[in-house]
Amino acid sequence: MTRHGALRRAWHAVRRWFGGLAVPTPVYPGDFTGRVSITYSPHLDGRPDPGEVVWAWVPFEEDHTRGKDRPVLLIGRADEWLLGLMLSSKDPRDDPRRSRNWRSIGTGPWDARGRASAVRLDRVLRIDPRRVRREGAVLPYERFTDVTHSLTRFHRW
């Protein structure tokens, strides 16, 4: 293990225990497969709800033990998990092979620099509600339904 890796693991352990509140880290069971029961029920009350863009840890596809903090549009729930679509400020049209997997949602307060964002349609993430870092914004209902229509068409639900 590299020194950087050991320091990163120690920092995350301290963050989990800070304030005496230990929250066990569940093993990521993999991305959600199957049909999503989509809901829109945002409430800016400090708890993550479908319809909100939140910041959370998103595991890398190739290695679920690694990942990064990024904005996620919450679209529903499955058991104890929230279901979400990751956002990116990179223009998906830059890579024509992947552009059909993304849907533009414009700008919003989830990006402090005011950049336009897109959601990834081909990967439905499981998000531990205890691991959401912060609420970013409520996605307006019209934009949410545009995304969910694109999602259902993409997956042929």
Side-chain angles (χ1 to χ4, degrees):
M1 174 184 333
T2 67
R3 177 184 162 108
H4 175 73
L7 289 173
R8 186 178 67 221
R9 283 183 186 78
W11 169 248
H12 288 295
V14 167
R15 282 180 40 188
R16 280 194 300 273
W17 285 94
F18 184 74
L21 300 175
V23 178
T25 303
V27 175
Y28 187 69
D31 296 344
F32 184 80
T33 57
R35 187 182 181 121
V36 175
S37 178
I38 297 169
T39 58
Y40 183 82
S41 57
H43 303 287
L44 287 177
D45 57 4
R47 292 183 307 239
D49 300 301
E52 297 173 2
V53 175
V54 299
W55 282 79
W57 184 80
V58 174
F60 294 142
E61 279 183 281
E62 59 279 357
D63 180 359
H64 290 163
T65 64
R66 298 182 57 223
K68 72 185 232 182
D69 204 43
R70 64 181 316 132
V72 175
L73 171 62
L74 299 177
I75 59 169
R77 297 179 186 275
D79 301 320
E80 72 272 15
W81 299 93
L82 291 163
L83 301 179
L85 306 173
M86 67 184 222
L87 274 68
S88 177
S89 58
K90 292 183 181 176
D91 190 340
R93 293 173 294 188
D94 292 345
D95 184 352
R97 293 172 296 149
R98 295 180 39 181
S99 64
R100 72 177 204 87
N101 301 347
W102 293 83
R103 171 75 166 90
S104 177
I105 62 167
T107 61
W110 55 85
D111 187 288
R113 297 195 311 207
R115 296 174 293 185
S117 296
V119 294
R120 184 172 173 182
L121 301 173
D122 65 337
R123 185 175 183 211
V124 178
L125 304 165
R126 294 178 208 234
I127 304 292
D128 182 346
R130 300 168 299 178
R131 295 285 175 225
V132 171
R133 307 284 190 266
R134 62 185 161 95
E135 292 175 298
V138 171
L139 191 68
Y141 182 74
E142 297 77 23
R143 280 200 260 176
F144 184 84
T145 56
D146 286 345
V147 168
T148 58
H149 287 288
S150 295
L151 183 68
T152 56
R153 278 194 308 272
F154 182 86
H155 289 279
R156 297 188 176 113
W157 292 333

